[in-house]
Amino acid sequence: MEILGIDVGGSALKGAIVDVQSGKMLTERVRIATPEGGKPEDMAQVAGQIVEQLNWKGPIGCGFPAVVKKGVSYSAANVDKSWIGTSVSELFSKYTHCPVYTANDADVAGLAEMEFGAGKEYYNDVVLILTLGTGIGTALFSEGHLMPNMELGHIEIRGKDAEKRASAAQRTNKKLSYRRWAEHLQEYLEHMEALINPDVIILGGGISKDADKFMQYLNTRAKLLTAVLLNQAGIVGAAMYAKQQLSAAENTAKS
Ligand code: BGC
């Protein structure tokens, strides 16, 4: 089954058509910069452009960088505050003319990484997946089950929001060397281990492609891995999420 996956990020919206059985992207990844200010209507318009460029008609899965319940955003750390209380699914649907299913971006990236990536051998473990980008996204799995909307990127470290110290964007913004940035990430990982005790930690987000530049500075009790799907996880996982929702609706209709 083919579904369009859209990964909404603080810096860009990215989309591709995905074969949800194999987890493979069937098209090029379309990437359009997040409009200045990250306002709802502007971003929805960009989602519409992605759909147009890929000439898509059909269900859309969307990963959105906030707490998302039943398609509605309940937070807005790196997008405009007017997203709070807005139905991402309804608004994107209006601009794309397609049914849209939305969940937290890290949660959906985690779904993809657990099924097709670094997590697939760790189904029986407690796995924490981090997406290091504009913010820090977190997805927690126990025996393959996701605990949604964990928002562990916002714990406080040294009086600051953790993602303001250890996200990938902070490395670029503050012009930190990989070594110096890895010290912040190490401290963050130590907090995660103390609070959650995962068996496996998977580092994802665009920066995972540069793993050879910083993995040597990190040391955890948990098995520490880098994501296999790199920056495709958000798109593939968004499509997988839509598939889950469609199957659930089908099952309800049958019973
Ligand atoms: C948001 C999360 C999101 C993460 C990664 C954080 O600032 O609060 O909801 O998953 O960034 O985009």
mmCIF file of all heavy atoms in Angstrom, residues 8-10 64-68 75-78 104-107 131-138 149 151 153-154 161 163-164, ligand 1:
data_model
loop_
_atom_site.group_PDB
_atom_site.id
_atom_site.type_symbol
_atom_site.label_atom_id
_atom_site.label_comp_id
_atom_site.label_asym_id
_atom_site.label_seq_id
_atom_site.Cartn_x
_atom_site.Cartn_y
_atom_site.Cartn_z
ATOM 1 N N VAL A 8 6.980 17.170 9.258
ATOM 2 C CA VAL A 8 6.993 18.619 9.487
ATOM 3 C C VAL A 8 8.091 18.937 10.488
ATOM 4 O O VAL A 8 8.102 18.397 11.595
ATOM 5 C CB VAL A 8 5.625 19.083 10.047
ATOM 6 C CG1 VAL A 8 5.645 20.581 10.320
ATOM 7 C CG2 VAL A 8 4.504 18.715 9.102
ATOM 8 N N GLY A 9 9.013 19.796 10.099
ATOM 9 C CA GLY A 9 10.108 20.134 11.012
ATOM 10 C C GLY A 9 10.207 21.629 11.225
ATOM 11 O O GLY A 9 9.564 22.414 10.512
ATOM 12 N N GLY A 10 11.027 22.031 12.175
ATOM 13 C CA GLY A 10 11.236 23.445 12.451
ATOM 14 C C GLY A 10 11.916 24.151 11.285
ATOM 15 O O GLY A 10 11.733 25.350 11.095
ATOM 16 N N PHE A 64 4.335 15.653 13.251
ATOM 17 C CA PHE A 64 4.314 17.079 13.598
ATOM 18 C C PHE A 64 5.112 17.300 14.897
ATOM 19 O O PHE A 64 4.977 16.518 15.848
ATOM 20 C CB PHE A 64 2.851 17.533 13.763
ATOM 21 C CG PHE A 64 2.700 19.014 13.857
ATOM 22 C CD1 PHE A 64 2.726 19.803 12.716
ATOM 23 C CD2 PHE A 64 2.551 19.635 15.096
ATOM 24 C CE1 PHE A 64 2.611 21.179 12.797
ATOM 25 C CE2 PHE A 64 2.437 21.015 15.191
ATOM 26 C CZ PHE A 64 2.466 21.785 14.033
ATOM 27 N N PRO A 65 5.924 18.389 14.968
ATOM 28 C CA PRO A 65 6.831 18.538 16.113
ATOM 29 C C PRO A 65 6.195 19.106 17.381
ATOM 30 O O PRO A 65 6.583 20.158 17.883
ATOM 31 C CB PRO A 65 7.902 19.495 15.569
ATOM 32 C CG PRO A 65 7.166 20.346 14.589
ATOM 33 C CD PRO A 65 6.117 19.465 13.967
ATOM 34 N N ALA A 66 5.205 18.400 17.896
ATOM 35 C CA ALA A 66 4.499 18.855 19.103
ATOM 36 C C ALA A 66 3.762 17.669 19.715
ATOM 37 O O ALA A 66 3.677 16.601 19.107
ATOM 38 C CB ALA A 66 3.491 19.946 18.718
ATOM 39 N N VAL A 67 3.186 17.886 20.895
ATOM 40 C CA VAL A 67 2.277 16.887 21.459
ATOM 41 C C VAL A 67 1.061 16.839 20.542
ATOM 42 O O VAL A 67 0.465 17.888 20.259
ATOM 43 C CB VAL A 67 1.833 17.314 22.884
ATOM 44 C CG1 VAL A 67 0.736 16.416 23.411
ATOM 45 C CG2 VAL A 67 3.022 17.338 23.832
ATOM 46 N N VAL A 68 0.718 15.663 20.061
ATOM 47 C CA VAL A 68 -0.439 15.560 19.153
ATOM 48 C C VAL A 68 -1.359 14.458 19.647
ATOM 49 O O VAL A 68 -0.937 13.317 19.854
ATOM 50 C CB VAL A 68 -0.004 15.228 17.699
ATOM 51 C CG1 VAL A 68 -1.227 15.134 16.787
ATOM 52 C CG2 VAL A 68 0.964 16.277 17.159
ATOM 53 N N SER A 75 1.000 21.539 21.905
ATOM 54 C CA SER A 75 2.176 22.305 22.315
ATOM 55 C C SER A 75 2.774 22.932 21.067
ATOM 56 O O SER A 75 2.300 22.659 19.956
ATOM 57 C CB SER A 75 3.201 21.403 23.017
ATOM 58 O OG SER A 75 3.767 20.489 22.103
ATOM 59 N N ALA A 76 3.784 23.758 21.232
ATOM 60 C CA ALA A 76 4.390 24.426 20.072
ATOM 61 C C ALA A 76 5.755 24.978 20.467
ATOM 62 O O ALA A 76 5.926 26.165 20.643
ATOM 63 C CB ALA A 76 3.475 25.558 19.595
ATOM 64 N N ALA A 77 6.742 24.070 20.612
ATOM 65 C CA ALA A 77 8.061 24.529 21.062
ATOM 66 C C ALA A 77 8.824 25.246 19.943
ATOM 67 O O ALA A 77 9.450 26.264 20.180
ATOM 68 C CB ALA A 77 8.874 23.361 21.596
ATOM 69 N N ASN A 78 8.746 24.715 18.736
ATOM 70 C CA ASN A 78 9.532 25.294 17.639
ATOM 71 C C ASN A 78 8.684 25.761 16.465
ATOM 72 O O ASN A 78 9.190 25.946 15.363
ATOM 73 C CB ASN A 78 10.577 24.271 17.163
ATOM 74 C CG ASN A 78 11.618 24.035 18.235
ATOM 75 O OD1 ASN A 78 12.233 24.973 18.721
ATOM 76 N ND2 ASN A 78 11.787 22.789 18.638
ATOM 77 N N ASN A 104 2.900 12.818 16.735
ATOM 78 C CA ASN A 104 4.177 13.481 17.058
ATOM 79 C C ASN A 104 5.292 12.984 16.126
ATOM 80 O O ASN A 104 5.379 11.794 15.822
ATOM 81 C CB ASN A 104 4.517 13.177 18.524
ATOM 82 C CG ASN A 104 5.904 13.643 18.897
ATOM 83 O OD1 ASN A 104 6.863 12.869 18.863
ATOM 84 N ND2 ASN A 104 6.032 14.910 19.236
ATOM 85 N N ASP A 105 6.142 13.899 15.693
ATOM 86 C CA ASP A 105 7.187 13.546 14.711
ATOM 87 C C ASP A 105 8.173 12.483 15.198
ATOM 88 O O ASP A 105 8.546 11.573 14.451
ATOM 89 C CB ASP A 105 7.943 14.811 14.250
ATOM 90 C CG ASP A 105 8.595 15.590 15.390
ATOM 91 O OD1 ASP A 105 8.333 15.291 16.565
ATOM 92 O OD2 ASP A 105 9.388 16.509 15.091
ATOM 93 N N ALA A 106 8.583 12.584 16.468
ATOM 94 C CA ALA A 106 9.550 11.603 16.982
ATOM 95 C C ALA A 106 8.873 10.232 17.138
ATOM 96 O O ALA A 106 9.475 9.188 16.884
ATOM 97 C CB ALA A 106 10.108 12.067 18.316
ATOM 98 N N ASP A 107 7.609 10.254 17.554
ATOM 99 C CA ASP A 107 6.879 8.982 17.710
ATOM 100 C C ASP A 107 6.801 8.237 16.377
ATOM 101 O O ASP A 107 7.023 7.033 16.314
ATOM 102 C CB ASP A 107 5.459 9.230 18.250
ATOM 103 C CG ASP A 107 5.463 9.578 19.728
ATOM 104 O OD1 ASP A 107 6.515 9.415 20.379
ATOM 105 O OD2 ASP A 107 4.410 10.006 20.242
ATOM 106 N N THR A 131 15.367 11.990 18.339
ATOM 107 C CA THR A 131 15.583 12.652 17.054
ATOM 108 C C THR A 131 16.226 14.005 17.363
ATOM 109 O O THR A 131 15.646 14.844 18.043
ATOM 110 C CB THR A 131 14.276 12.830 16.250
ATOM 111 O OG1 THR A 131 13.372 13.627 17.001
ATOM 112 C CG2 THR A 131 13.622 11.502 15.940
ATOM 113 N N LEU A 132 17.440 14.150 16.882
ATOM 114 C CA LEU A 132 18.210 15.360 17.168
ATOM 115 C C LEU A 132 18.126 16.267 15.950
ATOM 116 O O LEU A 132 18.697 15.962 14.905
ATOM 117 C CB LEU A 132 19.656 14.970 17.472
ATOM 118 C CG LEU A 132 19.811 13.989 18.649
ATOM 119 C CD1 LEU A 132 21.173 13.343 18.647
ATOM 120 C CD2 LEU A 132 19.551 14.697 19.974
ATOM 121 N N GLY A 133 17.361 17.343 16.078
ATOM 122 C CA GLY A 133 17.185 18.274 14.959
ATOM 123 C C GLY A 133 17.075 19.674 15.516
ATOM 124 O O GLY A 133 17.900 20.087 16.342
ATOM 125 N N THR A 134 16.007 20.401 15.118
ATOM 126 C CA THR A 134 15.771 21.729 15.684
ATOM 127 C C THR A 134 15.570 21.594 17.194
ATOM 128 O O THR A 134 16.046 22.402 17.984
ATOM 129 C CB THR A 134 14.516 22.369 15.043
ATOM 130 O OG1 THR A 134 14.640 22.286 13.633
ATOM 131 C CG2 THR A 134 14.351 23.798 15.478
ATOM 132 N N GLY A 135 14.836 20.568 17.589
ATOM 133 C CA GLY A 135 14.639 20.259 19.010
ATOM 134 C C GLY A 135 15.200 18.875 19.305
ATOM 135 O O GLY A 135 15.974 18.335 18.517
ATOM 136 N N ILE A 136 14.781 18.317 20.457
ATOM 137 C CA ILE A 136 15.074 16.898 20.705
ATOM 138 C C ILE A 136 13.734 16.191 20.816
ATOM 139 O O ILE A 136 12.924 16.515 21.698
ATOM 140 C CB ILE A 136 15.866 16.685 22.019
ATOM 141 C CG1 ILE A 136 17.238 17.345 21.938
ATOM 142 C CG2 ILE A 136 16.011 15.188 22.301
ATOM 143 C CD1 ILE A 136 18.090 17.163 23.196
ATOM 144 N N GLY A 137 13.490 15.273 19.914
ATOM 145 C CA GLY A 137 12.270 14.471 19.973
ATOM 146 C C GLY A 137 12.590 13.160 20.645
ATOM 147 O O GLY A 137 13.707 12.647 20.527
ATOM 148 N N THR A 138 11.609 12.616 21.375
ATOM 149 C CA THR A 138 11.860 11.342 22.059
ATOM 150 C C THR A 138 10.703 10.384 21.823
ATOM 151 O O THR A 138 9.531 10.787 21.845
ATOM 152 C CB THR A 138 12.024 11.559 23.583
ATOM 153 O OG1 THR A 138 10.864 12.234 24.095
ATOM 154 C CG2 THR A 138 13.251 12.392 23.901
ATOM 155 N N ASN A 149 3.910 10.751 22.913
ATOM 156 C CA ASN A 149 4.022 12.128 23.423
ATOM 157 C C ASN A 149 4.870 12.269 24.688
ATOM 158 O O ASN A 149 4.484 12.948 25.642
ATOM 159 C CB ASN A 149 2.612 12.702 23.684
ATOM 160 C CG ASN A 149 1.854 12.938 22.389
ATOM 161 O OD1 ASN A 149 2.354 13.591 21.486
ATOM 162 N ND2 ASN A 149 0.653 12.382 22.286
ATOM 163 N N GLU A 151 7.903 13.768 25.157
ATOM 164 C CA GLU A 151 8.448 15.128 25.364
ATOM 165 C C GLU A 151 9.635 15.175 26.334
ATOM 166 O O GLU A 151 9.755 16.114 27.135
ATOM 167 C CB GLU A 151 7.341 16.069 25.856
ATOM 168 C CG GLU A 151 6.240 16.333 24.845
ATOM 169 C CD GLU A 151 6.716 17.082 23.604
ATOM 170 O OE1 GLU A 151 7.513 18.010 23.743
ATOM 171 O OE2 GLU A 151 6.291 16.710 22.495
ATOM 172 N N GLY A 153 12.614 15.751 25.619
ATOM 173 C CA GLY A 153 13.609 16.740 25.195
ATOM 174 C C GLY A 153 13.512 18.006 26.025
ATOM 175 O O GLY A 153 14.379 18.879 25.959
ATOM 176 N N HIS A 154 12.436 18.099 26.818
ATOM 177 C CA HIS A 154 12.226 19.330 27.593
ATOM 178 C C HIS A 154 12.532 19.180 29.080
ATOM 179 O O HIS A 154 12.067 19.990 29.884
ATOM 180 C CB HIS A 154 10.780 19.819 27.412
ATOM 181 C CG HIS A 154 10.476 20.228 25.994
ATOM 182 N ND1 HIS A 154 11.119 21.267 25.370
ATOM 183 C CD2 HIS A 154 9.629 19.707 25.081
ATOM 184 C CE1 HIS A 154 10.660 21.391 24.129
ATOM 185 N NE2 HIS A 154 9.764 20.448 23.929
ATOM 186 N N ASP A 161 16.184 24.316 29.298
ATOM 187 C CA ASP A 161 15.488 23.285 28.550
ATOM 188 C C ASP A 161 16.565 22.433 27.855
ATOM 189 O O ASP A 161 17.425 22.987 27.149
ATOM 190 C CB ASP A 161 14.628 24.032 27.504
ATOM 191 C CG ASP A 161 13.603 23.146 26.855
ATOM 192 O OD1 ASP A 161 13.491 21.976 27.232
ATOM 193 O OD2 ASP A 161 12.912 23.638 25.945
ATOM 194 N N GLU A 163 16.744 20.629 25.268
ATOM 195 C CA GLU A 163 16.952 20.738 23.810
ATOM 196 C C GLU A 163 17.669 22.031 23.431
ATOM 197 O O GLU A 163 18.229 22.139 22.358
ATOM 198 C CB GLU A 163 15.644 20.549 23.027
ATOM 199 C CG GLU A 163 14.679 21.686 23.087
ATOM 200 C CD GLU A 163 13.493 21.479 22.138
ATOM 201 O OE1 GLU A 163 13.221 20.343 21.706
ATOM 202 O OE2 GLU A 163 12.821 22.490 21.840
ATOM 203 N N LYS A 164 17.668 23.014 24.349
ATOM 204 C CA LYS A 164 18.393 24.259 24.073
ATOM 205 C C LYS A 164 19.894 24.081 24.311
ATOM 206 O O LYS A 164 20.698 24.966 24.062
ATOM 207 C CB LYS A 164 17.865 25.411 24.945
ATOM 208 C CG LYS A 164 16.429 25.788 24.636
ATOM 209 C CD LYS A 164 16.361 26.700 23.409
ATOM 210 C CE LYS A 164 14.988 27.090 22.966
ATOM 211 N NZ LYS A 164 14.085 26.043 22.531
HETATM 212 C C1 BGC B 1 8.830 19.197 20.603
HETATM 213 C C2 BGC B 1 8.511 17.731 20.387
HETATM 214 C C3 BGC B 1 9.168 17.259 19.098
HETATM 215 C C4 BGC B 1 10.652 17.574 19.106
HETATM 216 C C5 BGC B 1 11.333 17.195 17.805
HETATM 217 C C6 BGC B 1 10.329 19.400 20.577
HETATM 218 O O1 BGC B 1 10.627 20.755 20.751
HETATM 219 O O2 BGC B 1 8.322 19.629 21.858
HETATM 220 O O3 BGC B 1 7.124 17.546 20.333
HETATM 221 O O4 BGC B 1 8.974 15.874 18.966
HETATM 222 O O5 BGC B 1 10.872 18.951 19.328
HETATM 223 O O6 BGC B 1 10.805 17.896 16.725
#
